[in-house]
Amino acid sequence: MEGPADRFKWFGEGFEGFPKILPDDCVQYTLYLIDAKLSSLEVRAQLREVQTAATALCKDLLKDFIWQREEFRLELKQEDGLSFLQGRTNFGDSVEDEWLIVYLLRELSKQFPQTWSRVVDSDGEFLLVEAADTLPTWLNPEVAENRVWISNGSLLIIPKERQKEKAHSGSLRLDDALSFIQDRRTDLLHLPAIESEAFYRLRRYPAQIQDSLHQGLITIPRKLASVLHEKAAYISPAVEAFYLRDPIALRPLQSQRPSKLLFSPEDFVTVSVKFTKVGFAQLKGQDFETPRAWTTSNTKVRDVFGRKGYEMGMKVTCGFEMLMSDPQNIDKKPVREINLLLEDLQAGEEHLPSDQEMLKWEWRDDDESWLDINFEDFEKELSGRYGQTPLGRSAGFGDKTAHENLRRMVSRFEKFLDDDDGAVQGAEFLDDMDNENDNDSDSDNLDAPTSGESDEQDNEKEPDIDEDRFASMMKEMMGLPATGTSDSSHTLTTNRDSFAIPRAESDGGDEAKEIRKVMHQMESELRDVGALSLEPPPIDKTSRKKSPPLLVKSDRNAAITQVSRPHETPQDLSSSDDEGELDIDFKRAKELLDQFTAI
């Protein structure tokens, strides 16, 4: 089997640099102005207009909005004589921030139809990932790069040309993509099915912008309340500092003198603070032991202001303390701005807000029920019955196919749990989806059983064995007395039929007869040598002196049997003294018994 083709070019073969890979949780977006009639200076001038319009759009739609990590921003760049706008945003754990950027790019493309935008993240063309169920077979990840563009509010795709792209193994270079848009714009593919799936999450915008935020009442020091009132977005870096804390970051909070803290636990007030829903959930779900610096005010303040608001306020305040005291954050923009505010307060240029002034602030406490999982809605999601939209899509996660696959997986798992025949060997998942996907590979499997062999396997039955009788039979075969059996003449013949393998309904009956025949032969041979006798045979003393007996280990049964020498006849043995002592090599017997135990 041939390995994957190596498309890496060395320095002498036209090396173009190492491939650029985006960090995790990052989205990169680029806007091009494609118009052959415009000069490079005119292109840059219009790009500045687009940049200004993007800033105005953000102020209009994102008033008081809080980004999880980094905000949306466009910078004018130039590479290889080509000018364009580009930005990169780290959205952290908030995927909604990534889709908000897609929404902003689509709105900008409506205002400036001559602009062409593309957006990618660490997964590549994630818009195609959203529309994976509707993509044509040729549009796979190997050829999707530089093919997906947003223009005039639509999603357009550059088709694949086999002849021209054969040298690049189906991949499309950026300069070729821009040339295609400029020269053959009418050949671009606009597929409504792909577009509706790719932009499906945008249907909730712009209302989703405010729905992604949460506002709640917390108890914090007055100094910190003044900082948050100046700019609510400072809460995000503080929440992240608290969420990603380590023992080194907690050192300032272990101080014996709370007055040394930047936000000392004193002069508490209750204010309404705005969070991102992701950040609020991160704070709410963290177990945090009260720091040493807060132990003195813990009980008193909690009784006055309430436990709920106090604990959240303590986490927020500690997050700001860790953010400001970490030397690694000294160059971050929020840290620099907060330091300037605190310097103005210390210099007397600004004053802390009074209680009367704080009464004029926004006062809101949102419901936290969105943190709870409604299992009834989850069941509806599994069954695909949750809130159907006019487009036939469910209002929940995924699409109908995802719902069906998930529901089938859960139903099969429940069926296995309810199966009384299930054992420690595990579950046998007979997944129809896997059978459909693996038809080709199954047809090439030469070792797979045929239908006839499968029928024979289904007709076979497990033998019904009585463990007590089986143990008794084994003891008799070894010449040992059976436990709890009064009849000393109980032999292998009486037990053999009790656990014999049942006759199969198919041709397996001949095999059972053969097994019984072999068992009869084995029994006859064992009886001839006295292996099945419970009483040891009498031994002639004179013959014992001439030739001592041998201890022989029977095959797989470890039966210790006394066997006569070849020159001794049965008559000699029968005439021997019954009261004679049996000369046994006990050391050898013990070794044989140990070997039998190990089997």
Side-chain angles (χ1 to χ4, degrees):
M1 180 178 178
E2 297 182 358
D6 185 8
R7 292 181 292 170
F8 184 81
K9 295 182 179 180
W10 296 96
F11 292 95
E13 302 174 351
F15 178 70
E16 300 174 356
F18 294 100
K20 298 180 181 179
I21 301 177
L22 285 176
D24 292 337
D25 303 330
C26 282
V27 57
Q28 181 172 289
Y29 35 92
T30 311
L31 281 77
Y32 296 92
L33 189 70
I34 302 178
D35 191 343
K37 300 179 181 179
L38 299 178
S39 62
S40 59
L41 293 178
E42 292 174 335
V43 169
R44 292 179 63 87
Q46 291 197 15
L47 287 176
R48 290 193 182 94
E49 293 181 6
V50 176
Q51 190 177 22
T52 303
T55 304
L57 181 65
C58 290
K59 289 182 178 180
D60 184 27
L61 295 177
L62 307 180
K63 184 179 181 180
D64 298 330
F65 180 76
I66 299 176
W67 296 90
Q68 181 69 15
R69 281 191 181 174
E70 298 177 353
E71 60 184 9
F72 171 81
R73 62 183 182 275
L74 288 172
E75 298 178 357
L76 183 60
K77 296 184 178 181
Q78 186 174 5
E79 291 182 3
D80 300 330
L82 182 65
S83 299
F84 55 89
L85 294 174
Q86 190 176 69
R88 178 187 293 184
T89 299
N90 188 331
F91 53 84
D93 294 329
S94 180
V95 182
E96 291 295 336
D97 287 2
E98 182 179 23
W99 287 102
L100 174 57
I101 292 175
V102 177
Y103 173 75
L104 294 175
L105 293 174
R106 191 177 70 166
E107 294 301 308
L108 282 175
S109 68
K110 293 178 181 178
Q111 296 183 21
F112 301 91
Q114 69 275 24
T115 59
W116 295 79
S117 308
R118 63 183 305 262
V119 53
V120 295
D121 62 6
S122 55
D123 294 329
E125 303 285 351
F126 66 93
L127 292 178
L128 295 184
V129 176
E130 288 293 309
D133 293 337
T134 60
L135 297 180
T137 56
W138 62 268
L139 191 55
N140 52 59
E142 287 74 17
V143 302
E145 187 178 3
N146 297 320
R147 292 186 184 276
V148 184
W149 297 83
I150 301 175
S151 180
N152 197 17
S154 301
L155 187 72
L156 301 175
I157 300 175
I158 298 177
K160 182 179 179 180
E161 295 180 310
R162 298 180 180 178
Q163 292 79 8
K164 292 184 178 181
E165 299 173 8
K166 186 175 181 181
H168 302 293
S169 301
S171 61
L172 185 64
R173 300 162 61 94
L174 178 61
D175 53 352
D176 294 335
L178 296 176
S179 300
F180 189 97
I181 294 174
Q182 180 173 339
D183 301 333
R184 304 174 54 186
R185 193 167 302 183
T186 56
D187 294 336
L188 293 172
L189 300 178
H190 178 228
L191 304 177
I194 297 180
E195 181 181 88
S196 62
E197 292 288 333
F199 290 157
Y200 179 70
R201 297 200 188 190
L202 303 185
R203 75 196 187 284
R204 299 171 294 177
Y205 287 90
Q208 179 63 24
I209 296 176
Q210 294 301 322
D211 291 342
S212 62
L213 302 178
H214 177 85
Q215 198 160 343
L217 299 177
I218 62 174
T219 301
I220 55 178
R222 189 182 299 268
K223 184 189 295 186
L224 181 57
S226 176
V227 172
L228 286 175
H229 181 68
E230 185 69 24
K231 189 173 182 180
Y234 292 150
I235 191 68
S236 287
V239 170
E240 184 176 15
F242 176 83
Y243 188 69
L244 302 178
R245 64 188 182 276
D246 55 23
I248 297 178
L250 291 172
R251 285 181 180 177
L253 300 174
Q254 305 303 325
S255 174
Q256 297 283 359
R257 305 165 75 179
S259 58
K260 288 187 175 182
L261 297 178
L262 197 60
F263 300 100
S264 58
E266 58 185 11
D267 193 13
F268 287 95
V269 293
T270 299
V271 293
S272 181
V273 176
K274 189 178 295 184
F275 303 84
T276 65
K277 283 189 174 180
V278 173
F280 185 81
Q282 289 175 339
L283 283 178
K284 192 78 173 180
Q286 287 275 303
D287 292 331
F288 185 61
E289 185 178 357
T290 303
R292 184 180 304 174
W294 284 67
T295 53
T296 56
S297 61
N298 186 13
T299 304
K300 181 179 179 180
V301 177
R302 184 174 57 187
D303 294 341
V304 174
F305 293 95
R307 180 174 182 176
K308 173 184 173 182
Y310 172 77
E311 289 184 354
M312 288 295 292
M314 178 181 64
K315 294 178 180 179
V316 170
T317 307
C318 293
F320 271 96
E321 197 70 42
M322 289 184 281
L323 173 69
M324 302 300 297
S325 60
D326 192 345
Q328 297 180 355
N329 301 329
I330 192 172
D331 293 330
K332 292 184 178 180
K333 181 179 178 181
V335 175
R336 296 198 308 267
E337 294 177 353
I338 293 175
N339 280 326
L340 291 176
L341 291 175
L342 295 178
E343 290 175 1
D344 292 342
L345 289 174
Q346 188 175 5
E349 298 180 5
E350 297 289 341
H351 66 278
L352 293 176
S354 63
D355 294 341
Q356 291 75 16
E357 293 175 345
M358 294 174 62
L359 291 176
K360 300 179 182 179
W361 294 358
E362 185 179 6
W363 190 272
R364 200 177 84 188
D365 190 14
D366 294 341
D367 186 14
E368 300 179 8
S369 60
W370 57 271
L371 288 169
D372 303 326
I373 298 176
N374 189 326
F375 289 98
E376 294 181 357
D377 294 343
F378 183 70
E379 289 291 339
K380 292 180 181 179
E381 291 284 0
L382 294 182
S383 60
R385 302 191 305 269
Y386 194 87
Q388 293 293 329
T389 62
L391 295 177
R393 290 290 304 268
S394 63
F397 59 88
D399 55 11
K400 184 177 180 180
T401 303
H403 287 175
E404 181 65 19
N405 293 341
L406 184 57
R407 183 175 59 82
R408 291 165 67 184
M409 291 172 60
V410 174
S411 64
R412 293 181 186 277
F413 183 70
E414 292 176 348
K415 182 179 179 181
F416 167 72
L417 293 180
D418 296 335
D419 186 6
D420 296 334
D421 298 332
V424 296
Q425 285 78 10
E428 294 182 358
F429 292 103
L430 303 178
D431 198 342
D432 296 338
M433 293 179 291
D434 294 340
N435 292 339
E436 294 175 1
N437 296 334
D438 297 340
N439 284 338
D440 295 339
S441 61
D442 291 344
S443 62
D444 296 335
N445 190 356
L446 300 180
D447 297 332
T450 61
S451 59
E453 294 174 349
S454 177
D455 294 339
E456 292 181 3
Q457 294 175 0
D458 295 338
N459 292 331
E460 291 179 358
K461 299 180 180 179
E462 295 183 358
D464 186 11
I465 297 177
D466 189 335
E467 296 181 1
D468 295 335
R469 293 184 179 181
F470 179 77
S472 177
M473 187 276 298
M474 291 298 297
K475 290 181 179 180
E476 291 180 358
M477 291 182 63
M478 292 184 292
L480 301 176
T483 304
T485 304
S486 59
D487 187 4
S488 61
S489 62
H490 193 64
T491 61
L492 175 65
T493 307
T494 59
N495 287 321
R496 181 188 62 222
D497 297 334
S498 63
F499 63 91
I501 300 176
R503 296 177 180 270
E505 296 179 2
S506 61
D507 296 338
D510 296 338
E511 184 179 357
K513 292 180 181 179
E514 186 67 21
I515 293 176
R516 289 188 177 89
K517 182 179 178 180
V518 174
M519 292 177 66
H520 280 295
Q521 294 176 356
M522 291 177 60
E523 180 184 3
S524 177
E525 294 177 1
L526 291 173
R527 286 184 180 280
D528 292 341
V529 298
L532 300 181
S533 178
L534 299 179
E535 297 293 338
I539 302 177
D540 189 359
K541 293 183 179 180
T542 57
S543 63
R544 176 169 52 85
K545 292 180 180 179
K546 295 180 180 179
S547 63
L550 298 178
L551 291 175
V552 182
K553 181 181 179 183
S554 300
D555 184 21
R556 298 192 61 83
N557 293 320
I560 302 175
T561 313
Q562 184 171 345
V563 183
S564 61
R565 291 292 181 177
H567 63 273
E568 294 177 339
T569 62
Q571 290 78 7
D572 296 333
L573 293 176
S574 61
S575 61
S576 61
D577 189 352
D578 296 340
E579 297 180 357
E581 295 181 358
L582 184 63
D583 188 8
I584 299 177
D585 188 349
F586 291 99
K587 183 177 180 180
R588 178 59 177 163
K590 185 178 182 301
E591 293 178 356
L592 292 175
L593 287 175
D594 292 341
Q595 293 178 7
F596 168 74
T597 304
I599 293 179

